[in-house]
Amino acid sequence: MEPDHYHEPVLLNETTGFLLEKANQDIAIKSNYISSKGFKRVFVDCTLGGGGYTRKILELTGNDTAVIAIDRDKFAIEYSRQVLSKYSSRIIFLQRNFSEISSIVHDAGFEKIDGITMDLGLSTYQLNHEEGFSYQRNTELDMRADKTQKLNAKDVLNTYSERELEEIFRKFGELKYSRHIAKEIVNSRKSRKLETTFDLVEIASQKIPPRYLNSDLAKIFQAVRIEVNNELKNLEKVLNDSIELLNDGSRIAAVSYHSLEDRIVKNIYRSSKKLKVLTKKPVLPGAEEVEKNVRSRSAKLRAAEKSSEIILSKNKYKDKILR
Ligand SMILES: C[S@@+](CC[C@H](N)C(=O)[O-])C[C@H]1O[C@@H](n2cnc3c(N)ncnc32)[C@H](O)[C@@H]1O
C-alpha cells in the first residue's frame, strides 16, 4: 500500500507543534542530561496509525530523541515499521493498548516522558479494509481494533439484553431512536443472528427515517465500536496516567472526533491541578484541510502543559469530570 493511503494525518503541524515548541526550548536547558537508553528526550505517540505524527516528531528532532509508538492494531504497527524504517533506531514500536501507558513507558526503560500525543478514533485503513467498522461496506460484524481481544461486535449485538443495547446506543451514540433500534435488534435476532454490517444496516433502516439514516447509522456503528473497544474508559485512563508521566513543562496534545471524547479530554485537562490548559477553545482544522481531507472535519485538538505549580483555582471543575 502507498504510504499516503493508509491514513492522512489530521492537524499534523498543529499537534506536533504544541509538543515540540516547548520541548525544543527545554532541550537547550537539558543539554547534558541523558534520560534513558542514551536519549535526552522521549515522546509517546499513543495512536501510531500510519505513523504520521511519529514521523513528524522524528523529522523535527535529532538523534537524541526517541518516540514510543503505540497502537493496538497490528496492521498499524506492521505498516509503520516499514514506512518509518529509516528511523528504526529511534522508535520503540509496541502493539499495546494505550490505557497501559504507565507500564508501557516503564517497560520501555523510561521514568518520565517529554510529550504525548493521541489522535483518537479510526484510521482510514481500518475504515476501508478492516471488518465491521464501516456501515458502507458489507463485512463481518467484528469492530475489534485488536484482533486478539475476545469481545467483538457480533457478541454485543447478539447477546446483550435489550436494555443494555439501548443504553449503549443512547450513551455512546447519543441516538434518538435508541429504544426502537435495540428492540428491533432483539426481535430480529430471535429468527436469525446478526452476522454482517449490512444485517445491522437493514434492521436500523426499518426504524430510522431515510433523511436521518446516514448520520444515525454512523452513530449506531460508533456506539457499538466504543463498547467493543472500551474506548471511553481507555481514554480516561490514558489521560490521567499521562499527566503523572509527563516531565514538568512537557505537553499533552489530543485530537478527538466526537463530543463524548472531546468532553473527556476537556474535563480531565481542566480538572487536573497539574495541567495548564493551552487551548481555551479547541483548535479545528482550517477550510483547506477539510476540503483536502473530509475526515478531518470533526477533529478537535486540545493541548495542555504540565506545571509544577499547584493550580488551586481549578477546583470548580472537579465535580464535572466524566459526567
Ligand atoms: C486516527 S488513527 C491515528 C492516525 C495517526 N495519527 C497517523 O498520523 O497516521 C487512530 C489509531 O489509534 C489506534 N487506537 C485507538 N485506540 C487505541 C488504544 N486504546 N490503544 C492503542 N491504539 C489505539 C487505532 O488502532 C488507530 O490506528
Side-chain angles (χ1 to χ4, degrees), residues 182-216:
K183 197 175 169 90
E184 193 63 25
I185 289 171
V186 170
N187 270 341
S188 163
R189 76 189 188 195
K190 281 180 195 151
S191 52
R192 191 169 67 90
K193 276 171 65 172
L194 286 85
E195 299 283 348
T196 68
T197 50
F198 280 11
D199 289 343
L200 181 56
V201 170
E202 195 185 313
I203 291 170
S205 309
Q206 289 163 23
K207 290 287 150 192
I208 301 170
R211 69 193 165 117
Y212 298 124
L213 190 58
N214 273 341
S215 65
D216 281 356

PDB file of all heavy atoms in Angstrom, residues 182-216:
ATOM      1  N   ALA A 182     -32.829  -0.893  19.604  1.00  0.00           N
ATOM      2  CA  ALA A 182     -32.496  -2.022  20.484  1.00  0.00           C
ATOM      3  C   ALA A 182     -33.593  -3.088  20.400  1.00  0.00           C
ATOM      4  O   ALA A 182     -33.316  -4.290  20.302  1.00  0.00           O
ATOM      5  CB  ALA A 182     -32.335  -1.526  21.915  1.00  0.00           C
ATOM      6  N   LYS A 183     -34.827  -2.654  20.417  1.00  0.00           N
ATOM      7  CA  LYS A 183     -35.968  -3.583  20.369  1.00  0.00           C
ATOM      8  C   LYS A 183     -35.974  -4.353  19.037  1.00  0.00           C
ATOM      9  O   LYS A 183     -36.163  -5.575  19.019  1.00  0.00           O
ATOM     10  CB  LYS A 183     -37.260  -2.752  20.494  1.00  0.00           C
ATOM     11  CG  LYS A 183     -38.477  -3.552  20.854  1.00  0.00           C
ATOM     12  CD  LYS A 183     -39.622  -2.572  21.064  1.00  0.00           C
ATOM     13  CE  LYS A 183     -40.894  -3.276  21.173  1.00  0.00           C
ATOM     14  NZ  LYS A 183     -41.476  -3.727  22.225  1.00  0.00           N
ATOM     15  N   GLU A 184     -35.736  -3.647  17.971  1.00  0.00           N
ATOM     16  CA  GLU A 184     -35.755  -4.278  16.650  1.00  0.00           C
ATOM     17  C   GLU A 184     -34.624  -5.315  16.522  1.00  0.00           C
ATOM     18  O   GLU A 184     -34.823  -6.383  15.948  1.00  0.00           O
ATOM     19  CB  GLU A 184     -35.606  -3.171  15.578  1.00  0.00           C
ATOM     20  CG  GLU A 184     -35.905  -3.600  14.167  1.00  0.00           C
ATOM     21  CD  GLU A 184     -37.349  -4.043  13.931  1.00  0.00           C
ATOM     22  OE1 GLU A 184     -38.241  -3.605  14.676  1.00  0.00           O
ATOM     23  OE2 GLU A 184     -37.555  -4.860  13.014  1.00  0.00           O
ATOM     24  N   ILE A 185     -33.469  -4.988  17.103  1.00  0.00           N
ATOM     25  CA  ILE A 185     -32.349  -5.940  17.050  1.00  0.00           C
ATOM     26  C   ILE A 185     -32.712  -7.222  17.800  1.00  0.00           C
ATOM     27  O   ILE A 185     -32.534  -8.336  17.308  1.00  0.00           O
ATOM     28  CB  ILE A 185     -31.058  -5.312  17.637  1.00  0.00           C
ATOM     29  CG1 ILE A 185     -30.518  -4.243  16.683  1.00  0.00           C
ATOM     30  CG2 ILE A 185     -29.986  -6.368  17.913  1.00  0.00           C
ATOM     31  CD1 ILE A 185     -29.381  -3.397  17.241  1.00  0.00           C
ATOM     32  N   VAL A 186     -33.266  -7.038  18.979  1.00  0.00           N
ATOM     33  CA  VAL A 186     -33.595  -8.208  19.803  1.00  0.00           C
ATOM     34  C   VAL A 186     -34.686  -9.041  19.128  1.00  0.00           C
ATOM     35  O   VAL A 186     -34.621 -10.284  19.108  1.00  0.00           O
ATOM     36  CB  VAL A 186     -33.978  -7.759  21.231  1.00  0.00           C
ATOM     37  CG1 VAL A 186     -34.545  -8.909  22.040  1.00  0.00           C
ATOM     38  CG2 VAL A 186     -32.750  -7.178  21.925  1.00  0.00           C
ATOM     39  N   ASN A 187     -35.661  -8.394  18.513  1.00  0.00           N
ATOM     40  CA  ASN A 187     -36.712  -9.122  17.775  1.00  0.00           C
ATOM     41  C   ASN A 187     -36.129  -9.893  16.615  1.00  0.00           C
ATOM     42  O   ASN A 187     -36.418 -11.071  16.423  1.00  0.00           O
ATOM     43  CB  ASN A 187     -37.738  -8.125  17.194  1.00  0.00           C
ATOM     44  CG  ASN A 187     -38.847  -7.892  18.187  1.00  0.00           C
ATOM     45  OD1 ASN A 187     -39.035  -8.698  19.103  1.00  0.00           O
ATOM     46  ND2 ASN A 187     -39.551  -6.785  18.020  1.00  0.00           N
ATOM     47  N   SER A 188     -35.323  -9.187  15.864  1.00  0.00           N
ATOM     48  CA  SER A 188     -34.781  -9.760  14.639  1.00  0.00           C
ATOM     49  C   SER A 188     -33.866 -10.956  14.931  1.00  0.00           C
ATOM     50  O   SER A 188     -33.895 -11.952  14.221  1.00  0.00           O
ATOM     51  CB  SER A 188     -34.045  -8.657  13.880  1.00  0.00           C
ATOM     52  OG  SER A 188     -33.212  -9.191  12.938  1.00  0.00           O
ATOM     53  N   ARG A 189     -33.076 -10.869  15.979  1.00  0.00           N
ATOM     54  CA  ARG A 189     -32.098 -11.941  16.233  1.00  0.00           C
ATOM     55  C   ARG A 189     -32.756 -13.227  16.758  1.00  0.00           C
ATOM     56  O   ARG A 189     -32.112 -14.265  16.824  1.00  0.00           O
ATOM     57  CB  ARG A 189     -30.989 -11.453  17.167  1.00  0.00           C
ATOM     58  CG  ARG A 189     -31.376 -11.337  18.623  1.00  0.00           C
ATOM     59  CD  ARG A 189     -30.304 -10.651  19.442  1.00  0.00           C
ATOM     60  NE  ARG A 189     -30.623 -10.716  20.851  1.00  0.00           N
ATOM     61  CZ  ARG A 189     -30.069  -9.988  21.792  1.00  0.00           C
ATOM     62  NH1 ARG A 189     -29.142  -9.099  21.479  1.00  0.00           N
ATOM     63  NH2 ARG A 189     -30.420 -10.130  23.067  1.00  0.00           N
ATOM     64  N   LYS A 190     -34.072 -13.137  17.098  1.00  0.00           N
ATOM     65  CA  LYS A 190     -34.781 -14.363  17.516  1.00  0.00           C
ATOM     66  C   LYS A 190     -34.862 -15.338  16.347  1.00  0.00           C
ATOM     67  O   LYS A 190     -34.785 -16.540  16.518  1.00  0.00           O
ATOM     68  CB  LYS A 190     -36.202 -14.009  17.978  1.00  0.00           C
ATOM     69  CG  LYS A 190     -36.247 -13.439  19.370  1.00  0.00           C
ATOM     70  CD  LYS A 190     -37.674 -13.119  19.766  1.00  0.00           C
ATOM     71  CE  LYS A 190     -37.697 -12.226  20.973  1.00  0.00           C
ATOM     72  NZ  LYS A 190     -38.879 -11.355  21.018  1.00  0.00           N
ATOM     73  N   SER A 191     -35.030 -14.801  15.134  1.00  0.00           N
ATOM     74  CA  SER A 191     -35.114 -15.700  13.979  1.00  0.00           C
ATOM     75  C   SER A 191     -33.750 -15.899  13.301  1.00  0.00           C
ATOM     76  O   SER A 191     -33.460 -16.957  12.771  1.00  0.00           O
ATOM     77  CB  SER A 191     -36.136 -15.171  12.969  1.00  0.00           C
ATOM     78  OG  SER A 191     -35.850 -13.826  12.667  1.00  0.00           O
ATOM     79  N   ARG A 192     -32.901 -14.862  13.356  1.00  0.00           N
ATOM     80  CA  ARG A 192     -31.594 -15.003  12.685  1.00  0.00           C
ATOM     81  C   ARG A 192     -30.566 -14.093  13.345  1.00  0.00           C
ATOM     82  O   ARG A 192     -30.825 -12.899  13.550  1.00  0.00           O
ATOM     83  CB  ARG A 192     -31.752 -14.626  11.206  1.00  0.00           C
ATOM     84  CG  ARG A 192     -30.547 -14.972  10.346  1.00  0.00           C
ATOM     85  CD  ARG A 192     -30.872 -14.832   8.863  1.00  0.00           C
ATOM     86  NE  ARG A 192     -31.108 -13.443   8.474  1.00  0.00           N
ATOM     87  CZ  ARG A 192     -30.156 -12.602   8.059  1.00  0.00           C
ATOM     88  NH1 ARG A 192     -28.901 -13.004   7.971  1.00  0.00           N
ATOM     89  NH2 ARG A 192     -30.440 -11.364   7.712  1.00  0.00           N
ATOM     90  N   LYS A 193     -29.425 -14.675  13.709  1.00  0.00           N
ATOM     91  CA  LYS A 193     -28.377 -13.872  14.355  1.00  0.00           C
ATOM     92  C   LYS A 193     -27.813 -12.818  13.406  1.00  0.00           C
ATOM     93  O   LYS A 193     -27.774 -13.040  12.194  1.00  0.00           O
ATOM     94  CB  LYS A 193     -27.221 -14.778  14.791  1.00  0.00           C
ATOM     95  CG  LYS A 193     -27.464 -15.432  16.132  1.00  0.00           C
ATOM     96  CD  LYS A 193     -26.448 -16.482  16.451  1.00  0.00           C
ATOM     97  CE  LYS A 193     -25.047 -15.951  16.628  1.00  0.00           C
ATOM     98  NZ  LYS A 193     -24.076 -16.938  17.122  1.00  0.00           N
ATOM     99  N   LEU A 194     -27.388 -11.718  13.943  1.00  0.00           N
ATOM    100  CA  LEU A 194     -26.723 -10.714  13.106  1.00  0.00           C
ATOM    101  C   LEU A 194     -25.296 -11.189  12.824  1.00  0.00           C
ATOM    102  O   LEU A 194     -24.578 -11.546  13.760  1.00  0.00           O
ATOM    103  CB  LEU A 194     -26.642  -9.358  13.816  1.00  0.00           C
ATOM    104  CG  LEU A 194     -27.927  -8.545  13.917  1.00  0.00           C
ATOM    105  CD1 LEU A 194     -28.739  -8.972  15.131  1.00  0.00           C
ATOM    106  CD2 LEU A 194     -27.588  -7.062  14.042  1.00  0.00           C
ATOM    107  N   GLU A 195     -24.945 -11.184  11.560  1.00  0.00           N
ATOM    108  CA  GLU A 195     -23.612 -11.663  11.163  1.00  0.00           C
ATOM    109  C   GLU A 195     -22.787 -10.569  10.497  1.00  0.00           C
ATOM    110  O   GLU A 195     -21.576 -10.523  10.646  1.00  0.00           O
ATOM    111  CB  GLU A 195     -23.721 -12.840  10.172  1.00  0.00           C
ATOM    112  CG  GLU A 195     -24.434 -14.071  10.712  1.00  0.00           C
ATOM    113  CD  GLU A 195     -23.555 -14.883  11.657  1.00  0.00           C
ATOM    114  OE1 GLU A 195     -22.340 -14.632  11.714  1.00  0.00           O
ATOM    115  OE2 GLU A 195     -24.111 -15.749  12.371  1.00  0.00           O
ATOM    116  N   THR A 196     -23.462  -9.715   9.718  1.00  0.00           N
ATOM    117  CA  THR A 196     -22.717  -8.757   8.900  1.00  0.00           C
ATOM    118  C   THR A 196     -23.153  -7.320   9.184  1.00  0.00           C
ATOM    119  O   THR A 196     -24.212  -7.078   9.770  1.00  0.00           O
ATOM    120  CB  THR A 196     -22.940  -9.018   7.396  1.00  0.00           C
ATOM    121  OG1 THR A 196     -24.307  -8.699   7.096  1.00  0.00           O
ATOM    122  CG2 THR A 196     -22.638 -10.448   7.010  1.00  0.00           C
ATOM    123  N   THR A 197     -22.328  -6.406   8.712  1.00  0.00           N
ATOM    124  CA  THR A 197     -22.652  -4.981   8.882  1.00  0.00           C
ATOM    125  C   THR A 197     -23.991  -4.649   8.203  1.00  0.00           C
ATOM    126  O   THR A 197     -24.776  -3.870   8.742  1.00  0.00           O
ATOM    127  CB  THR A 197     -21.557  -4.094   8.262  1.00  0.00           C
ATOM    128  OG1 THR A 197     -21.297  -4.549   6.935  1.00  0.00           O
ATOM    129  CG2 THR A 197     -20.279  -4.121   9.072  1.00  0.00           C
ATOM    130  N   PHE A 198     -24.233  -5.276   7.045  1.00  0.00           N
ATOM    131  CA  PHE A 198     -25.498  -4.958   6.356  1.00  0.00           C
ATOM    132  C   PHE A 198     -26.722  -5.541   7.082  1.00  0.00           C
ATOM    133  O   PHE A 198     -27.821  -5.039   6.919  1.00  0.00           O
ATOM    134  CB  PHE A 198     -25.443  -5.407   4.885  1.00  0.00           C
ATOM    135  CG  PHE A 198     -24.695  -4.424   3.997  1.00  0.00           C
ATOM    136  CD1 PHE A 198     -23.938  -3.380   4.538  1.00  0.00           C
ATOM    137  CD2 PHE A 198     -24.734  -4.540   2.609  1.00  0.00           C
ATOM    138  CE1 PHE A 198     -23.242  -2.474   3.733  1.00  0.00           C
ATOM    139  CE2 PHE A 198     -24.048  -3.631   1.785  1.00  0.00           C
ATOM    140  CZ  PHE A 198     -23.301  -2.604   2.354  1.00  0.00           C
ATOM    141  N   ASP A 199     -26.534  -6.590   7.903  1.00  0.00           N
ATOM    142  CA  ASP A 199     -27.647  -7.062   8.751  1.00  0.00           C
ATOM    143  C   ASP A 199     -28.052  -5.934   9.700  1.00  0.00           C
ATOM    144  O   ASP A 199     -29.240  -5.668   9.899  1.00  0.00           O
ATOM    145  CB  ASP A 199     -27.228  -8.274   9.600  1.00  0.00           C
ATOM    146  CG  ASP A 199     -27.048  -9.532   8.758  1.00  0.00           C
ATOM    147  OD1 ASP A 199     -27.551  -9.565   7.618  1.00  0.00           O
ATOM    148  OD2 ASP A 199     -26.383 -10.469   9.260  1.00  0.00           O
ATOM    149  N   LEU A 200     -27.044  -5.270  10.267  1.00  0.00           N
ATOM    150  CA  LEU A 200     -27.333  -4.173  11.205  1.00  0.00           C
ATOM    151  C   LEU A 200     -27.933  -2.978  10.458  1.00  0.00           C
ATOM    152  O   LEU A 200     -28.896  -2.351  10.931  1.00  0.00           O
ATOM    153  CB  LEU A 200     -26.039  -3.775  11.935  1.00  0.00           C
ATOM    154  CG  LEU A 200     -26.130  -2.658  12.975  1.00  0.00           C
ATOM    155  CD1 LEU A 200     -27.168  -2.956  14.059  1.00  0.00           C
ATOM    156  CD2 LEU A 200     -24.762  -2.412  13.635  1.00  0.00           C
ATOM    157  N   VAL A 201     -27.403  -2.689   9.291  1.00  0.00           N
ATOM    158  CA  VAL A 201     -27.934  -1.578   8.487  1.00  0.00           C
ATOM    159  C   VAL A 201     -29.405  -1.834   8.148  1.00  0.00           C
ATOM    160  O   VAL A 201     -30.245  -0.941   8.266  1.00  0.00           O
ATOM    161  CB  VAL A 201     -27.099  -1.405   7.186  1.00  0.00           C
ATOM    162  CG1 VAL A 201     -27.773  -0.430   6.225  1.00  0.00           C
ATOM    163  CG2 VAL A 201     -25.686  -0.934   7.524  1.00  0.00           C
ATOM    164  N   GLU A 202     -29.704  -3.075   7.780  1.00  0.00           N
ATOM    165  CA  GLU A 202     -31.082  -3.410   7.378  1.00  0.00           C
ATOM    166  C   GLU A 202     -32.056  -3.219   8.551  1.00  0.00           C
ATOM    167  O   GLU A 202     -33.108  -2.621   8.398  1.00  0.00           O
ATOM    168  CB  GLU A 202     -31.096  -4.864   6.908  1.00  0.00           C
ATOM    169  CG  GLU A 202     -32.353  -5.244   6.138  1.00  0.00           C
ATOM    170  CD  GLU A 202     -32.342  -6.740   5.824  1.00  0.00           C
ATOM    171  OE1 GLU A 202     -31.307  -7.250   5.357  1.00  0.00           O
ATOM    172  OE2 GLU A 202     -33.384  -7.379   6.105  1.00  0.00           O
ATOM    173  N   ILE A 203     -31.650  -3.666   9.709  1.00  0.00           N
ATOM    174  CA  ILE A 203     -32.515  -3.524  10.890  1.00  0.00           C
ATOM    175  C   ILE A 203     -32.718  -2.038  11.221  1.00  0.00           C
ATOM    176  O   ILE A 203     -33.845  -1.578  11.441  1.00  0.00           O
ATOM    177  CB  ILE A 203     -31.889  -4.262  12.103  1.00  0.00           C
ATOM    178  CG1 ILE A 203     -31.941  -5.765  11.861  1.00  0.00           C
ATOM    179  CG2 ILE A 203     -32.616  -3.909  13.396  1.00  0.00           C
ATOM    180  CD1 ILE A 203     -31.144  -6.573  12.874  1.00  0.00           C
ATOM    181  N   ALA A 204     -31.622  -1.289  11.216  1.00  0.00           N
ATOM    182  CA  ALA A 204     -31.717   0.142  11.560  1.00  0.00           C
ATOM    183  C   ALA A 204     -32.573   0.885  10.532  1.00  0.00           C
ATOM    184  O   ALA A 204     -33.360   1.768  10.891  1.00  0.00           O
ATOM    185  CB  ALA A 204     -30.315   0.744  11.626  1.00  0.00           C
ATOM    186  N   SER A 205     -32.452   0.486   9.276  1.00  0.00           N
ATOM    187  CA  SER A 205     -33.185   1.190   8.210  1.00  0.00           C
ATOM    188  C   SER A 205     -34.697   1.085   8.400  1.00  0.00           C
ATOM    189  O   SER A 205     -35.446   1.939   7.940  1.00  0.00           O
ATOM    190  CB  SER A 205     -32.836   0.605   6.837  1.00  0.00           C
ATOM    191  OG  SER A 205     -31.470   0.555   6.677  1.00  0.00           O
ATOM    192  N   GLN A 206     -35.110   0.016   9.074  1.00  0.00           N
ATOM    193  CA  GLN A 206     -36.557  -0.139   9.287  1.00  0.00           C
ATOM    194  C   GLN A 206     -37.110   0.845  10.310  1.00  0.00           C
ATOM    195  O   GLN A 206     -38.299   1.069  10.399  1.00  0.00           O
ATOM    196  CB  GLN A 206     -36.861  -1.567   9.737  1.00  0.00           C
ATOM    197  CG  GLN A 206     -36.669  -2.577   8.609  1.00  0.00           C
ATOM    198  CD  GLN A 206     -36.573  -3.994   9.124  1.00  0.00           C
ATOM    199  OE1 GLN A 206     -37.047  -4.278  10.219  1.00  0.00           O
ATOM    200  NE2 GLN A 206     -35.951  -4.863   8.353  1.00  0.00           N
ATOM    201  N   LYS A 207     -36.240   1.408  11.117  1.00  0.00           N
ATOM    202  CA  LYS A 207     -36.699   2.270  12.215  1.00  0.00           C
ATOM    203  C   LYS A 207     -36.329   3.738  12.039  1.00  0.00           C
ATOM    204  O   LYS A 207     -36.853   4.598  12.744  1.00  0.00           O
ATOM    205  CB  LYS A 207     -36.081   1.775  13.545  1.00  0.00           C
ATOM    206  CG  LYS A 207     -36.638   0.465  14.019  1.00  0.00           C
ATOM    207  CD  LYS A 207     -38.049   0.645  14.558  1.00  0.00           C
ATOM    208  CE  LYS A 207     -38.881  -0.607  14.350  1.00  0.00           C
ATOM    209  NZ  LYS A 207     -40.295  -0.423  14.580  1.00  0.00           N
ATOM    210  N   ILE A 208     -35.401   4.015  11.149  1.00  0.00           N
ATOM    211  CA  ILE A 208     -34.907   5.401  11.033  1.00  0.00           C
ATOM    212  C   ILE A 208     -35.434   6.040   9.754  1.00  0.00           C
ATOM    213  O   ILE A 208     -35.336   5.442   8.676  1.00  0.00           O
ATOM    214  CB  ILE A 208     -33.359   5.415  11.020  1.00  0.00           C
ATOM    215  CG1 ILE A 208     -32.816   4.790  12.307  1.00  0.00           C
ATOM    216  CG2 ILE A 208     -32.819   6.823  10.852  1.00  0.00           C
ATOM    217  CD1 ILE A 208     -31.327   4.536  12.287  1.00  0.00           C
ATOM    218  N   PRO A 209     -35.998   7.237   9.851  1.00  0.00           N
ATOM    219  CA  PRO A 209     -36.454   7.923   8.640  1.00  0.00           C
ATOM    220  C   PRO A 209     -35.291   8.127   7.665  1.00  0.00           C
ATOM    221  O   PRO A 209     -34.175   8.438   8.114  1.00  0.00           O
ATOM    222  CB  PRO A 209     -36.957   9.279   9.156  1.00  0.00           C
ATOM    223  CG  PRO A 209     -37.113   9.107  10.623  1.00  0.00           C
ATOM    224  CD  PRO A 209     -36.203   8.008  11.066  1.00  0.00           C
ATOM    225  N   PRO A 210     -35.534   7.951   6.356  1.00  0.00           N
ATOM    226  CA  PRO A 210     -34.436   7.981   5.369  1.00  0.00           C
ATOM    227  C   PRO A 210     -33.536   9.207   5.486  1.00  0.00           C
ATOM    228  O   PRO A 210     -32.321   9.102   5.329  1.00  0.00           O
ATOM    229  CB  PRO A 210     -35.162   7.965   4.022  1.00  0.00           C
ATOM    230  CG  PRO A 210     -36.480   7.352   4.312  1.00  0.00           C
ATOM    231  CD  PRO A 210     -36.826   7.671   5.738  1.00  0.00           C
ATOM    232  N   ARG A 211     -34.109  10.362   5.795  1.00  0.00           N
ATOM    233  CA  ARG A 211     -33.223  11.542   5.793  1.00  0.00           C
ATOM    234  C   ARG A 211     -32.227  11.561   6.957  1.00  0.00           C
ATOM    235  O   ARG A 211     -31.236  12.280   6.929  1.00  0.00           O
ATOM    236  CB  ARG A 211     -34.032  12.832   5.720  1.00  0.00           C
ATOM    237  CG  ARG A 211     -34.840  13.170   6.934  1.00  0.00           C
ATOM    238  CD  ARG A 211     -35.824  14.285   6.612  1.00  0.00           C
ATOM    239  NE  ARG A 211     -36.828  14.385   7.648  1.00  0.00           N
ATOM    240  CZ  ARG A 211     -36.984  15.432   8.405  1.00  0.00           C
ATOM    241  NH1 ARG A 211     -36.214  16.485   8.218  1.00  0.00           N
ATOM    242  NH2 ARG A 211     -37.905  15.452   9.330  1.00  0.00           N
ATOM    243  N   TYR A 212     -32.504  10.775   8.001  1.00  0.00           N
ATOM    244  CA  TYR A 212     -31.538  10.706   9.109  1.00  0.00           C
ATOM    245  C   TYR A 212     -30.647   9.468   9.009  1.00  0.00           C
ATOM    246  O   TYR A 212     -29.795   9.233   9.868  1.00  0.00           O
ATOM    247  CB  TYR A 212     -32.259  10.631  10.460  1.00  0.00           C
ATOM    248  CG  TYR A 212     -33.113  11.835  10.758  1.00  0.00           C
ATOM    249  CD1 TYR A 212     -34.465  11.693  11.057  1.00  0.00           C
ATOM    250  CD2 TYR A 212     -32.554  13.115  10.759  1.00  0.00           C
ATOM    251  CE1 TYR A 212     -35.255  12.804  11.338  1.00  0.00           C
ATOM    252  CE2 TYR A 212     -33.332  14.221  11.033  1.00  0.00           C
ATOM    253  CZ  TYR A 212     -34.680  14.057  11.320  1.00  0.00           C
ATOM    254  OH  TYR A 212     -35.448  15.153  11.602  1.00  0.00           O
ATOM    255  N   LEU A 213     -30.921   8.644   7.999  1.00  0.00           N
ATOM    256  CA  LEU A 213     -30.308   7.315   8.009  1.00  0.00           C
ATOM    257  C   LEU A 213     -28.780   7.339   8.091  1.00  0.00           C
ATOM    258  O   LEU A 213     -28.198   6.674   8.954  1.00  0.00           O
ATOM    259  CB  LEU A 213     -30.778   6.502   6.784  1.00  0.00           C
ATOM    260  CG  LEU A 213     -30.401   5.023   6.823  1.00  0.00           C
ATOM    261  CD1 LEU A 213     -30.976   4.348   8.060  1.00  0.00           C
ATOM    262  CD2 LEU A 213     -30.891   4.307   5.570  1.00  0.00           C
ATOM    263  N   ASN A 214     -28.138   8.113   7.224  1.00  0.00           N
ATOM    264  CA  ASN A 214     -26.667   8.089   7.219  1.00  0.00           C
ATOM    265  C   ASN A 214     -26.074   8.545   8.538  1.00  0.00           C
ATOM    266  O   ASN A 214     -25.188   7.899   9.099  1.00  0.00           O
ATOM    267  CB  ASN A 214     -26.127   8.955   6.074  1.00  0.00           C
ATOM    268  CG  ASN A 214     -26.021   8.142   4.802  1.00  0.00           C
ATOM    269  OD1 ASN A 214     -26.001   6.915   4.845  1.00  0.00           O
ATOM    270  ND2 ASN A 214     -25.985   8.825   3.677  1.00  0.00           N
ATOM    271  N   SER A 215     -26.591   9.666   9.061  1.00  0.00           N
ATOM    272  CA  SER A 215     -25.989  10.169  10.301  1.00  0.00           C
ATOM    273  C   SER A 215     -26.302   9.219  11.466  1.00  0.00           C
ATOM    274  O   SER A 215     -25.457   9.012  12.345  1.00  0.00           O
ATOM    275  CB  SER A 215     -26.445  11.593  10.600  1.00  0.00           C
ATOM    276  OG  SER A 215     -27.825  11.598  10.842  1.00  0.00           O
ATOM    277  N   ASP A 216     -27.489   8.616  11.460  1.00  0.00           N
ATOM    278  CA  ASP A 216     -27.799   7.700  12.563  1.00  0.00           C
ATOM    279  C   ASP A 216     -27.048   6.377  12.454  1.00  0.00           C
ATOM    280  O   ASP A 216     -26.673   5.780  13.469  1.00  0.00           O
ATOM    281  CB  ASP A 216     -29.314   7.462  12.657  1.00  0.00           C
ATOM    282  CG  ASP A 216     -30.002   8.636  13.360  1.00  0.00           C
ATOM    283  OD1 ASP A 216     -29.283   9.548  13.820  1.00  0.00           O
ATOM    284  OD2 ASP A 216     -31.242   8.635  13.459  1.00  0.00           O
TER     285      ASP A 216
END
